[in-house]
Amino acid sequence: MFRPFKLKAPYFEIGPKVYMHGDEALDLALHADALCRTFGVDIIFTAQYTDISRIAHETTHLKVFAQHMDANPVGRGVGAVLPEALKQAGAVGVLLNHAEKPLSLSVLNETIRRADEVGLATLVCAATVAESAAVAVLEPNMVLAESPALIGGGKRSDDDALEVERINAAVRAVGKDILVLHGAGISDEHDVYQIIRSGADGTGSTSAIMRAADPKDMLSRMIEAMSRAHRERTTD
């Protein structure tokens, strides 16, 4: 875990994947940066490698993450994503072990240690309670709990709400400093509200934002709902 990295609840992660790049991605990132100021929340923007430098240098509050990273040392490795290069480009963290970029446990451990070494926070994906607990043992900064069945547009159920509590408990039993972000199956601001009310301190979305008629409007509605749900939950 890269301990200097700080994130406060409630927090949100936008994962553009390869839906957006260049000017369009920057435009959404600037809007997200403004929402950080308006609502006083932390937002992670998981950019494509080629957009990291531009977004990092043109935003103030946004936490720019890379979508993946390799554990290679400086030297040989054609096509590898070097941790030092991500750091120098302006990234403050990296997403690891996504369902579309899975890593074995040994490689994941090595990659987290390399991120720690260069000063990058780690957001590590896990699909179940057991996987979340296993990932937590590796001491990332954050566990991103995402059921593969929900990624890309699945519908959340009452059992998924109970899973929030189970995963939170499993991760915190391993390390109280490890943050948990619950994602997948977030189709609109109502899902955001419900998952935060269920006990999540953070959530995120890709498809619902990227495929919306107005991505910036959808993001605004989600951030407002997250902020409101967290405020209500903490004052109940």
Side-chain angles (χ1 to χ4, degrees), residues 110-129:
E110 182 184 6
T111 310
I112 292 171
R113 301 288 77 79
R114 280 285 283 129
D116 292 345
E117 176 187 333
V118 303
L120 291 169
T122 45
L123 174 60
V124 181
C125 298
T128 64
V129 174

Side-chain angles (χ1 to χ4, degrees), residues 16-38:
K17 295 187 178 177
V18 294
Y19 285 101
M20 284 186 179
H21 67 280
D23 292 344
E24 190 177 22
L26 177 62
D27 187 46
L28 183 62
L30 290 170
H31 182 68
D33 199 47
L35 292 173
C36 291
R37 293 191 297 272
T38 300

Side-chain angles (χ1 to χ4, degrees), residues 17-19 67-68 95-103 125 146 148 151-152 206-207:
K17 295 187 178 177
V18 294
Y19 285 101
Q67 294 184 6
H68 180 68
L95 174 68
L96 297 172
N97 199 43
H98 191 276
E100 296 176 14
K101 277 284 189 180
L103 298 173
C125 298
E146 288 191 315
I151 292 173
T206 294
S207 301

